[in-house]
Amino acid sequence: MGRRDVSENEFADFERFLNAWSRRDFLRGMGGSLAVTTFLAGGMELLAACGGNSGSQTSTQNAKRGGHVVEGNPTDIANLNPLYINDVYSQTIAYRLYDALLSVDNQASLVPNLATDVPKVSSDGLSYTFKLHKGVQWSDGQPLTADDVAFTYQLMYAPEWKGAKARYRPQAEQYIQSVTAADPQTVVIKTTKVFAPFLITFCTGTSGTGGILPKHVWEKLKPEAMPSSEMNNLPTVVSGAMVPVKWDKGSQYVIKRNDNWFRGKTYIDQHVFKVTPSFVANANLLKTGEIDIGIVDNSVWDDLANSQSVNRVAFTRPSYDYYLHNLDGSRTPKAAIFGDSQVRKALYTALDKKKIADKVYFGQATPADSVMSSVQWAHTTPKTQYPYDLAKANKMLDDAGWKKGPDGIRSKGGVKMEWELRTNAGNAVRETLITVLADQWKQIGANVATKPVQFPQLVTQLSQTRDFEMILLGISENADPDLTQNYKSTSIGNGALNGSGYKNPEIDSLLDEGVQTVDRSKRKDVYAKIQDILMQDLPTPLVTYPKGLWGISKRVQNFGVGPWTQYGARPWYKDVYVSDGK
Amino acid sequence: MLLRFLLRRALAAIPVVVGVTLITFLLMHSAAGSYVPGLSLNPNLTPKDVEQLRSELGLDQPIYVQYLDWIGVAWIMQKVGLAGVLVGAHGITPGLLQGSFGHSMVDGTAVGGQIFERLPNTILLTLSAILLGVLLSIPLGVMGALRRGSNLDHFFSFLSIAGVAIPQFWLGLMLILIFSVKFHDWGLPFLPSSGTTTPFTGGDLLDRLAHLVLPALVLSFFYLAIWSRYTRSSMLEVLSQDYVRTARAKGMSERRVTYLHGLRNAVIPLVTLVGLELPGLVSGALVVEAVFSWPGIGLLAFQRALAYDYTMVLGIVTFAAVLVVLGNLVSDLLYAAVDPRIRLQ
């Protein structure tokens, strides 16, 4: 229902990568974001550019025990089993119920969870040794041990559990060699190859999976019975901060404090996830106190400021809106236009990105300056930038030999500068955006037709048939800067995201180097090079970095939501309390 | 007589329901995008994996086999040893004829379970709205007819036109803005604007009623607008009949004339109109449900359509089709009951 740009909600997780265009996406209202895989290696680098209200105000000195919070989302849950989660709202609840070995903070840094520390990778880059906290119990009082951990991963990669159809099985089979319990407190994970995004993908539940299941409960099921088990929606035994109470389909999911949680009891007694009409309606519900927490639409953000009872939290979220030129002459004759890098640069220069952010996103976005969002730890601002300059853009096209005809439209060698720009139908922001882009390009002599297309069709065009001319879409990033899916020459077609058909051997080898380098500071250098090259080549220019907009009732304290802790990972959750204790 | 009527109607309903299932099924198959979006798009799945997934979902079977499997005919054929006729069929499960709507493609839950869980919410909403509409539209229509041409009559006409012209979503949003948000701002008791109960604390009768007020009001406004006009014109017509003049001539009080001779005859067309709305009891009120996040059938169908949850949408449409047929039957019976001139044939 929510007519909003929802890229942030769509694919904050590996899931997305996995199932790049999940069906839930549409359920959430618009669809329209793709997912890129990402990851993050060890290390604790901080990123100053992060927003959110994390850190500074976290104090539990005056914290009250008891009470409840109501969080509003426009979508009901689908599946809470870490093996099957496929949307961020399910993920948000699931990781209140199931702890993972690690978690992620607002800087996309790994933090310990069930494991006492973030493990260092072995010298060959292939194995990780986790030490588990002692005395961790399941909600039924059974101890949580390394056996549970090994069992959970075996469900994903071991052949005898193939019938369980874990969503992450293709990845798990590809990357996991073995997961073994050395002793009740020690787990050793061996990987098949050096893969820097491993921990974030498999151990945090943020940009992938990682929730640990109770072996003594699930081993009693046949693998084939797992996908349809009722425990997928209402788990009986969990390990996390909360335990499930009830699910009223279509209206609410209620969880309550887990007194057996190894980190101690949460301050709040209950957390209700209420299904609301839309992100626009969330603003009204926040005002009347019918919900305490919720994402709100750009269009009502300013209005929400009038409310005395609601705090607003805005931050750049890990996502961007961008457009792809089709560079492949075998798919479209328009490649003759886009193949000229001067044309791509001129088009990008003709875009007033600041104005777009202000008008189309109601000011709740920032102009893009690279090929990944500014909250990625690997983000750099390449020297090559394209500030808005119509005269310069016109001159670039003149110099490149594109002459204006009597109708004001440029052409060169019989090829007219006109094409069709598509985006996914139903996404109000993007439908506006393509009109604005067409309008701005008209001013430099390009005749651009706009066409909203159903999302599945658009995705097929982008990732399979590639019979488009230009597509505008959004990407929600994972907590890893890997861009293999977007720019590697092997990612053209077959469902991968390099729909523009960009081929650059230097980028190919840098992308490989990126996922094979575990050390974060060395990796950052690799991605800096990648960003420099891609900003010069501009196969898929980014337009904006949209913001995540949250309304939080003033009675809710320490809800430290930020770029990377909107959904699954909420390492600050144990400190959340309500000041009125209700 | 009645039995024969029922039997005939039941037989006539069969092709209707079969037609609905067939058309819906074919439409779903030809909808934009692949039958299971996302399936072939996962970059980590090899073509072999995709093939296996399609096979597990039964999508590799010929389309007529998929249809027969879904409606349950394939299952019967298998039971009587005719499975060989279905070339390429595998993994046949009980279908509609066996009472199974299958499982959702989005969350794996049973389609039938989801429908029956939402149904009471939808019936509560639509039934309240219809009752409200009937209770208000009759007095409004009668008053309009009795004071034809008066300012009151003009005002009611204005209300009716507004009721038809104002989109439900707009009216809903306005009511939310006034009775929920603004009342809250002004420190007055305000009405909740979404869901059926207050999370955490709510759930008692008063709380449920409070949640019901706004959506039921919006939905009933449309009924009110139309039905009050019908009552008015029907009342005017009846009041000009000979038997009404006769009643007046013999000195009957105006009150008795209006209510005993006038109204009783004037509401007969209204019964048909209300009867026509009966199928809406179950097919839901999508717009109102969406605006107020009312967990009913309409909203479920809409959300699942957007989510490309084919099995769920198929289930809901089929379910609604059966109930529409039933609803029409009920309204026919009702009509015969109130109007002795109508005979079932």
Side-chain angles (χ1 to χ4, degrees):
Chain A
M1 327 271 7
R3 296 276 148 160
R4 108 181 274 250
D5 152 49
V6 280
S7 61
E8 116 245 36
N9 308 308
E10 314 304 296
F11 303 108
D13 47 5
F14 182 62
E15 201 92 39
R16 299 312 195 174
F17 159 43
L18 221 199
N19 197 3
W21 293 280
S22 103
R23 305 187 283 283
R24 293 290 295 183
D25 186 17
F26 309 106
L27 192 54
R28 226 157 285 125
M30 346 273 60
S33 290
L34 310 183
V36 272
T37 175
T38 32
F39 114 108
L40 128 139
M44 288 290 165
E45 197 170 357
L46 296 186
L47 194 75
C50 286
N53 60 353
S54 59
S56 58
Q57 66 190 56
T58 301
S59 158
T60 50
Q61 268 189 347
N62 304 316
K64 287 206 174 68
R65 295 211 167 264
H68 75 291
V69 294
V70 181
E71 185 167 345
N73 287 319
T75 305
D76 202 2
I77 61 142
N79 194 319
L80 302 181
N81 186 332
L83 292 183
Y84 306 115
I85 298 170
N86 194 29
D87 66 289
V88 290
Y89 303 118
S90 297
Q91 190 187 47
T92 306
I93 301 178
Y95 285 92
R96 308 286 77 74
L97 304 178
Y98 292 108
D99 274 327
L101 291 171
L102 306 173
S103 188
V104 170
D105 66 12
N106 272 332
Q107 283 72 39
S109 295
L110 292 167
V111 292
N113 195 6
L114 285 173
T116 54
D117 296 291
V118 177
K120 296 269 176 287
V121 68
S122 61
S123 54
D124 60 2
L126 291 175
S127 71
Y128 302 88
T129 303
F130 295 86
K131 284 283 178 193
L132 302 186
H133 281 285
K134 285 210 172 92
V136 182
Q137 288 187 346
W138 292 102
S139 54
D140 62 353
Q142 297 282 317
L144 189 159
T145 67
D147 273 345
D148 293 303
V149 179
F151 171 74
T152 304
Y153 285 99
Q154 278 156 14
L155 290 177
M156 289 185 259
Y157 77 85
E160 64 266 31
W161 291 104
K162 203 164 175 126
K165 296 181 199 160
R167 270 192 182 284
Y168 303 95
R169 178 163 282 274
Q171 288 73 23
E173 285 178 352
Q174 190 180 348
Y175 293 113
I176 300 179
Q177 178 74 45
S178 69
V179 180
T180 46
D183 64 55
Q185 249 65 54
T186 309
V187 179
V188 180
I189 300 183
K190 286 198 161 64
T191 62
T192 53
K193 55 184 108 173
V194 179
F195 182 55
F198 186 83
L199 289 179
I200 202 135
T201 307
F202 288 102
C203 305
T204 64
T206 302
S207 298
T209 186
I212 303 303
L213 293 170
K215 182 180 180 187
H216 64 283
V217 175
W218 287 88
E219 72 180 350
K220 290 180 188 145
L221 269 65
K222 288 194 176 120
E224 292 74 21
M226 288 186 179
S228 56
S229 166
E230 294 198 349
M231 290 189 292
N232 291 330
N233 294 320
L234 276 174
T236 50
V237 177
V238 294
S239 62
M242 309 297 262
V243 295
V245 176
K246 63 170 176 173
W247 178 30
D248 298 331
K249 289 187 189 117
S251 47
Q252 60 177 353
Y253 196 99
V254 184
I255 57 179
K256 68 170 184 188
R257 195 183 67 205
N258 175 7
D259 290 340
N260 274 348
W261 196 29
F262 79 103
R263 291 183 184 279
K265 296 173 186 173
T266 51
Y267 289 100
I268 50 170
D269 284 341
Q270 291 208 36
H271 191 154
V272 180
F273 293 86
K274 179 179 161 64
V275 181
T276 61
S278 65
F279 294 118
V280 176
N282 271 2
N284 284 339
L285 296 169
L286 281 162
K287 285 182 190 170
T288 60
E290 288 176 73
I291 62 173
D292 298 309
I293 300 159
I295 294 176
V296 298
D297 188 79
N298 297 20
S299 61
V300 288
W301 182 244
D302 287 343
D303 180 53
L304 193 60
N306 299 326
S307 173
Q308 300 300 313
S309 58
V310 181
N311 281 322
R312 301 185 307 158
V313 177
F315 46 83
T316 298
R317 62 187 198 222
S319 67
Y320 52 82
D321 286 333
Y322 76 138
Y323 59 90
L324 299 93
H325 307 97
N326 195 341
L327 305 172
D328 188 340
S330 70
R331 304 295 170 135
T332 172
K334 307 296 178 187
I337 308 173
F338 304 135
D340 183 344
S341 74
Q342 281 306 108
V343 173
R344 298 199 295 272
K345 288 173 184 175
L347 293 176
Y348 199 38
T349 306
L351 291 184
D352 190 347
K353 295 179 278 291
K354 177 79 180 66
K355 199 168 173 186
I356 288 172
D358 284 347
K359 299 296 179 193
V360 181
Y361 298 81
F362 297 88
Q364 301 309 321
T366 44
D369 60 4
S370 183
V371 294
M372 61 180 68
S373 74
S374 54
V375 292
Q376 288 281 2
W377 57 261
H379 172 269
T380 54
T381 304
K383 273 197 216 84
T384 320
Q385 293 292 329
Y386 304 86
Y388 175 57
D389 189 338
L390 265 188
K392 189 177 171 190
N394 269 313
K395 184 168 184 307
M396 287 164 88
L397 291 178
D398 288 340
D399 294 349
W402 291 88
K403 301 288 174 227
K404 270 193 184 170
D407 53 357
I409 298 167
R410 292 177 188 271
S411 60
K412 178 183 177 182
V415 181
K416 268 200 138 183
M417 192 173 257
E418 54 189 7
W419 63 87
E420 188 180 77
L421 171 56
R422 296 174 182 173
T423 194
N424 57 306
N427 184 315
V429 167
R430 285 190 206 125
E431 287 187 17
T432 312
L433 207 48
I434 55 172
T435 317
V436 171
L437 293 194
D439 188 54
Q440 300 210 324
W441 285 331
K442 195 174 184 180
Q443 297 177 35
I444 55 168
N447 183 23
V448 182
T450 58
K451 186 179 179 188
V453 178
Q454 288 301 312
F455 194 54
Q457 279 178 328
L458 195 69
V459 166
T460 305
Q461 289 164 9
L462 174 72
S463 64
Q464 306 277 358
T465 56
R466 298 179 43 246
D467 51 350
F468 65 94
E469 293 166 10
M470 184 185 270
I471 286 179
L472 179 122
L473 264 181
I475 290 263
S476 275
E477 302 165 290
N478 286 343
D480 185 278
D482 179 29
L483 291 168
T484 302
Q485 278 294 307
N486 302 48
Y487 298 108
K488 204 174 170 187
S489 59
T490 53
S491 299
I492 301 171
N494 294 321
L497 304 185
N498 187 357
S500 55
Y502 178 67
K503 286 180 194 162
N504 183 339
E506 193 184 359
I507 284 288
D508 282 0
S509 67
L510 282 170
L511 287 169
D512 285 345
E513 195 184 338
V515 290
Q516 287 161 12
T517 308
V518 181
D519 181 87
R520 204 192 249 201
S521 60
K522 285 181 194 156
R523 268 192 100 193
K524 191 163 182 173
D525 294 340
V526 175
Y527 287 105
K529 280 185 210 161
I530 291 174
Q531 291 170 79
D532 281 342
I533 296 170
L534 290 174
M535 278 302 274
Q536 282 160 29
D537 281 1
L538 283 183
T540 65
L542 276 59
V543 184
T544 46
Y545 303 136
K547 286 185 179 171
L549 306 174
W550 286 71
I552 297 163
S553 164
K554 287 188 176 160
R555 74 185 195 95
V556 179
Q557 306 295 321
N558 294 340
F559 194 86
V561 65
W564 302 103
T565 64
Q566 297 190 92
Y567 308 112
R570 289 181 172 178
W572 34 262
Y573 189 74
K574 64 180 190 307
D575 295 331
V576 174
Y577 69 96
V578 284
S579 52
D580 57 5
K582 285 180 188 161
Chain B
M1 191 64 149
L2 184 64
L3 203 66
R4 238 183 92 189
F5 169 78
L6 285 178
L7 197 68
R8 259 179 39 160
R9 289 295 295 258
L11 284 177
I14 291 174
V16 174
V17 174
V18 171
V20 167
T21 60
L22 188 61
I23 290 170
T24 322
F25 188 83
L26 291 176
L27 275 178
M28 279 295 172
H29 264 272
S30 54
S34 77
Y35 191 64
V36 184
L39 192 64
S40 53
L41 301 169
N42 178 348
N44 289 304
L45 288 180
T46 63
K48 199 173 132 247
D49 293 331
V50 174
E51 212 35 62
Q52 192 195 334
L53 281 168
R54 288 181 59 82
S55 166
E56 278 164 10
L57 291 168
L59 297 175
D60 54 342
Q61 306 172 111
I63 186 163
Y64 77 93
V65 174
Q66 292 182 42
Y67 175 72
L68 292 178
D69 186 16
W70 175 60
I71 61 171
V73 170
W75 194 75
I76 295 174
M77 290 172 77
Q78 197 181 36
K79 284 286 156 199
V80 300
L82 282 173
V85 180
L86 304 170
V87 181
H90 59 81
I92 290 168
T93 51
L96 291 180
L97 288 174
Q98 289 79 39
S100 166
F101 284 89
H103 289 265
S104 158
M105 282 203 162
V106 166
D107 58 17
T109 54
V111 171
Q114 287 266 14
I115 292 177
F116 287 110
E117 204 156 312
R118 305 284 190 117
L119 197 58
N121 291 332
T122 288
I123 292 182
L124 176 66
L125 174 63
T126 46
L127 202 59
S128 312
I130 288 178
L131 281 179
L132 211 58
V134 170
L135 289 179
L136 291 177
S137 64
I138 293 179
L140 245 59
V142 171
M143 276 194 274
L146 292 181
R147 304 196 192 178
R148 186 179 181 188
S150 69
N151 283 339
L152 191 71
D153 187 28
H154 289 313
F155 175 68
F156 289 160
S157 300
F158 169 77
L159 267 190
S160 291
I161 293 167
V164 177
I166 294 176
Q168 286 183 336
F169 78 88
W170 187 85
L171 182 64
L173 291 176
M174 287 303 120
L175 292 185
I176 289 175
L177 197 64
I178 296 167
F179 293 104
S180 198
V181 180
K182 287 299 170 195
F183 270 44
H184 176 267
D185 286 355
W186 298 329
L188 296 169
F190 62 95
L191 287 166
S193 63
S194 91
T196 54
T197 53
T198 305
F200 188 66
T201 51
D204 56 7
L205 186 65
L206 209 62
D207 182 56
R208 283 176 189 276
L209 276 178
H211 279 82
L212 184 60
V213 172
L214 289 182
L217 214 58
V218 173
L219 197 55
S220 67
F221 194 48
F222 180 74
Y223 294 146
L224 173 72
I226 297 186
W227 294 346
S228 67
R229 294 308 284 175
Y230 269 96
T231 311
R232 180 181 175 276
S233 54
S234 164
M235 193 72 187
L236 282 174
E237 191 191 322
V238 169
L239 287 179
S240 65
Q241 294 289 322
D242 288 345
Y243 59 84
V244 169
R245 203 179 314 144
T246 311
R248 282 197 178 121
K250 69 183 185 187
M252 193 180 267
S253 76
E254 193 59 27
R255 218 182 122 112
R256 289 196 60 164
V257 171
T258 310
Y259 293 102
L260 201 66
H261 294 270
L263 185 58
R264 275 187 68 173
N265 288 303
V267 294
I268 290 174
L270 195 63
V271 172
T272 322
L273 284 174
V274 176
L276 283 177
E277 294 301 328
L278 285 182
L281 273 182
V282 290
S283 62
L286 165 60
V287 175
V288 174
E289 287 182 3
V291 170
F292 292 95
S293 198
W294 190 266
I297 294 278
L299 191 55
L300 181 69
F302 175 65
Q303 289 175 332
R304 294 314 173 96
L306 288 182
Y308 293 72
D309 190 348
Y310 293 90
T311 41
M312 184 70 81
V313 175
L314 279 173
I316 295 171
V317 172
T318 311
F319 184 75
V322 171
L323 288 171
V324 165
V325 171
L326 279 179
N328 284 337
L329 188 60
V330 170
S331 89
D332 283 354
L333 292 173
L334 267 182
Y335 203 30
V338 294
D339 189 346
R341 285 171 300 183
I342 310 279
R343 289 279 166 266
L344 300 175
Q345 288 179 351

